[in-house]
Each structure stands twice: as structure tokens, then as C-alpha cells.
């Protein structure tokens, strides 16, 4: 009799616990899964046509819509203008039916591609020696760009070669700029360069010894920052 009495109670107990723990709130959600079509980094010569390859976003077995936003690192563009040299970032965003979001991205670099004989514009990797210290972290960093302004001057994206922005990974807010360069004579390495600050750190930085070497495809210079650091920079032109 005791066994017959106990079993129904146990059955009721487990049934009650099952109802309380599930409560019809268990649910599977499929987060947006992105497939970026084409290359993650696309390099274009100024004036080249560009069509965004886009992405495919899946929520489970269903393809869903996405939105696109664009930002330029140095010239403020919110769309990709292949007539304006800059490093552009495309962000793709999507939200599933349960309100969970995801993103993916692509970089598009538009290059004003000079020949280092009558133009110093171009895309460069950068190697920086700070106060005599050499480190792999600051070697062949990607990328520093130089473009020509409408008035014939040039502008460099980072006057210390990306030491903090790229090497330390702090981002473009720590790029040393604006670096405005007047080319009095490129063959004679005669340049006038305005002083500039070092991003969010501020201070005053002065570039000197700007030298263009067309055959190896390099630009070298030294920048002294009043915070007590000197950056010796070698830019190596990326051949497109």
C-alpha cells in the first residue's frame, strides 16, 4: 500500500517541476551569420569604378536583409567616392526576428597613385623606429596614405608613420595629423611641411629630412614630438 501511495505523489512532483522550469519560455534563436562576398580588403586606384560585392546574411536557413554604412578614415566620406583617396570602411548590419544583431565589415582603399618622380601620392607600408628602438610590432605596418589636395599640396595620413594608430592599435584618433606637405621640388627633395599634433595625445610635432627615393620606392623622414620622442619613419610604396 505504501508503494502504491508514493508513486502517484512522485509523478505529480516531477510533473509540477517540469511545468515550472520550462514555462513555455525555452526558445531557439538563430543569430545572423554573414558571408562577405569578395575580398575583405579592396584596393582601388583613384577613378576606378567600384561596385560593392555585398554580403549574404542567413538566419538559420533563411536569407535576411541587411543595411550598409560607410565611413572614411581621413576625409570624412559617408559613401565611397573613388575620386577621393581615403581608407573607407563598410559595415554590414542585420537583425534577426528576436532582435539580436550582428555585423561584418570590409575595407576599401582608394589610392591616389603617384610615381615618386613628379608626385608623392600613394599607398605605403610603414616602419618606425622610436628613440632608436626597433620592434617587429612597428615594421611594415599597413597602411599610410598620401594624397594630393586640390591646391597642389599633399597630405599624409600619419606624420609618425602610424606608430600609435596602427602599431599600438589605438585607431585613427591617434594618428599624427594634419600633415600638409608643399613639394617645392620633388627631385631636389625640397619640401615644406606644416607642424602637427599627435592625435588625442596632442602636443607639437615637427617633420624634417623628408626624402623621396623613386628607385626603391621609399619616403623617409624624422618627426620630433615635444613629448620627448623622435620617430624615424620609412614608408615603402605599395605597387598596384
Amino acid at each position: 500500500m505504501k508503494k502504491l501511495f508514493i508513486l502517484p505523489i512522485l509523478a505529480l512532483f516531477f510533473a509540477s517541476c517540469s511545468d515550472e522550469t520550462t514555462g513555455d519560455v525555452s526558445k531557439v534563436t538563430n543569430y545572423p551569420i554573414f558571408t562577405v562576398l569578395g575580398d575583405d580588403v579592396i584596393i582601388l586606384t583613384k577613378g576606378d569604378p567600384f561596385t560593392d560585392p555585398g554580403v549574404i546574411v542567413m538566419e538559420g536557413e533563411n536569407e535576411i536583409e541587411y543595411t550598409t554604412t560607410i565611413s572614411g578614415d581621413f576625409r570624412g566620406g559617408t559613401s565611397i567616392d573613388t575620386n577621393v583617396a581615403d581608407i573607407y570602411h563598410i559595415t554590414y548590419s542585420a537583425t534577426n526576428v528576436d532582435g539580436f544583431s550582428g555585423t561584418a565589415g570590409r575595407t576599401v582603399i582608394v589610392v591616389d597613385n603617384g610615381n615618386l618622380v613628379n608626385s608623392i601620392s600613394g599607398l605605403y607600408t610603414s616602419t618606425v623606429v622610436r628613440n632608436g628602438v626597433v620592434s617587429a610590432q612597428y615594421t611594415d605596418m599597413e597602411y599610410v596614405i598620401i594624397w594630393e589636395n586640390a591646391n597642389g599640396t599633399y597630405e599624409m595620413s600619419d606624420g609618425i608613420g602610424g606608430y600609435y594608430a596602427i602599431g599600438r592599435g589605438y585607431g585613427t584618433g591617434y594618428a599624427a595629423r594634419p600633415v600638409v606637405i608643399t613639394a617645392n621640388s620633388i627631385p631636389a627633395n625640397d619640401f615644406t611641411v606644416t607642424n602637427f599634433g599627435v592625435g588625442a595625445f596632442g602636443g607639437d610635432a615637427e617633420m624634417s629630412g623628408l626624402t623621396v627615393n623613386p628607385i626603391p620606392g621609399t619616403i623617409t623622414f624624422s618627426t620630433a614630438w615635444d613629448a620627448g620622442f623622435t620617430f624615424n619613419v620609412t614608408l615603402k610604396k605599395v605597387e598596384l
Side-chain angles (χ1 to χ4, degrees), residues 32-101:
I33 302 298
F34 293 76
T35 299
V36 178
L37 304 176
D39 295 330
D40 290 340
V41 178
I42 297 175
I43 300 175
L44 305 171
T45 300
K46 183 178 175 181
D48 283 351
F50 173 70
T51 300
D52 185 1
V55 297
I56 295 174
V57 189
M58 301 298 294
E59 181 181 344
E61 297 181 352
N62 300 313
E63 185 173 351
I64 61 174
E65 295 183 350
Y66 63 89
T67 59
T68 301
T69 56
I70 298 171
S71 62
D73 276 351
F74 304 108
R75 307 182 78 178
T78 56
S79 62
I80 293 177
D81 184 347
T82 64
N83 290 308
V84 177
D86 204 346
I87 298 177
Y88 298 91
H89 301 282
I90 305 176
T91 301
Y92 309 100
S93 305
T95 303
N96 73 1
V97 293
D98 298 315
F100 293 98
S101 299

Side-chain angles (χ1 to χ4, degrees), residues 109-125:
I109 305 174
V110 178
V111 181
D112 186 5
N113 194 30
N115 57 12
L116 296 185
V117 175
N118 50 35
S119 172
I120 63 171
S121 296
L123 179 68
Y124 298 85
T125 58

Side-chain angles (χ1 to χ4, degrees), residues 15-237:
S16 176
C17 288
S18 176
D19 290 341
E20 290 180 356
T21 54
T22 58
D24 294 326
V25 296
S26 294
K27 188 174 183 180
V28 174
T29 188
N30 292 300
Y31 291 92
I33 302 298
F34 293 76
T35 299
V36 178
L37 304 176
D39 295 330
D40 290 340
V41 178
I42 297 175
I43 300 175
L44 305 171
T45 300
K46 183 178 175 181
D48 283 351
F50 173 70
T51 300
D52 185 1
V55 297
I56 295 174
V57 189
M58 301 298 294
E59 181 181 344
E61 297 181 352
N62 300 313
E63 185 173 351
I64 61 174
E65 295 183 350
Y66 63 89
T67 59
T68 301
T69 56
I70 298 171
S71 62
D73 276 351
F74 304 108
R75 307 182 78 178
T78 56
S79 62
I80 293 177
D81 184 347
T82 64
N83 290 308
V84 177
D86 204 346
I87 298 177
Y88 298 91
H89 301 282
I90 305 176
T91 301
Y92 309 100
S93 305
T95 303
N96 73 1
V97 293
D98 298 315
F100 293 98
S101 299
T103 61
R106 182 197 317 274
T107 299
V108 178
I109 305 174
V110 178
V111 181
D112 186 5
N113 194 30
N115 57 12
L116 296 185
V117 175
N118 50 35
S119 172
I120 63 171
S121 296
L123 179 68
Y124 298 85
T125 58
S126 174
T127 297
V128 183
V129 178
R130 189 184 76 162
N131 286 11
V133 178
V134 181
S135 171
Q137 181 178 352
Y138 308 104
T139 301
D140 295 328
M141 294 180 288
E142 298 177 347
Y143 293 105
V144 171
I145 63 172
I146 300 175
W147 62 88
E148 186 172 359
N149 293 316
N151 63 2
T153 64
Y154 295 90
E155 192 163 339
M156 183 183 297
S157 63
D158 197 327
I160 56 174
Y163 188 90
Y164 296 111
I166 305 169
R168 292 275 179 91
Y170 293 169
T172 54
Y174 288 84
R177 56 188 306 266
V179 185
V180 179
I181 302 167
T182 300
N184 304 310
S185 171
I186 295 175
N189 286 312
D190 182 4
F191 301 96
T192 303
V193 186
T194 60
N195 287 11
F196 46 89
V198 180
F201 291 129
D204 185 68
E206 182 177 1
M207 182 184 294
S208 61
L210 182 62
T211 302
V212 177
N213 300 280
I215 299 303
T218 60
I219 296 176
T220 58
F221 57 87
S222 180
T223 295
W225 181 25
D226 63 5
F229 297 101
T230 298
F231 305 84
N232 292 315
V233 180
T234 300
L235 302 181
K236 175 66 176 177
K237 193 168 186 294

